[in-house]
Amino acid sequence: PDGRHILFATVGKSAQRSPGLDRSDDLWIIGADGSAPTRLTSHPASDGLPVWGADGRVYFVSDRGGSSRLWSLLPRLPL
């Protein structure tokens, strides 16, 4: 939200075969200069489409509960 970090989701190779999230999709944050990549999620479910909230939380779509729903987390940003 302040331009110092980039939030992104990894996309697994099987996502190329069909639309949607893949089991290897996780959320990451990295410094805008490419430093300190930090994994935010490592759940077996698919996590994707991350966005910064005005409250500093990361909102994302995940199928953790068996169907795609909106989830959020408060990241610990790397220094």
Side-chain angles (χ1 to χ4, degrees), residues 3-21:
R4 296 185 319 173
H5 299 92
I6 298 169
L7 176 65
F8 66 97
T10 57
V11 178
K13 292 180 182 178
S14 67
Q16 296 173 6
R17 294 191 308 255
S18 62
L21 300 173

Side-chain angles (χ1 to χ4, degrees), residues 5 14 35 39 41 47 58 61 66 69 74:
H5 299 92
S14 67
S35 65
R39 179 179 269 173
T41 62
D47 300 327
V58 172
V61 175
R69 303 234 185 251
L74 185 59

Side-chain angles (χ1 to χ4, degrees), residues 34-60:
S35 65
T38 304
R39 179 179 269 173
L40 298 178
T41 62
S42 60
H43 194 278
S46 301
D47 300 327
L49 304 172
V51 296
W52 289 109
D55 58 0
R57 297 185 73 82
V58 172
Y59 291 87
F60 61 99

Side-chain angles (χ1 to χ4, degrees), residues 21-26 41-47 62-64:
L21 300 173
D22 178 56
R23 289 283 176 213
S24 64
D25 297 339
D26 287 314
T41 62
S42 60
H43 194 278
S46 301
D47 300 327
S62 179
D63 62 359
R64 298 168 183 231

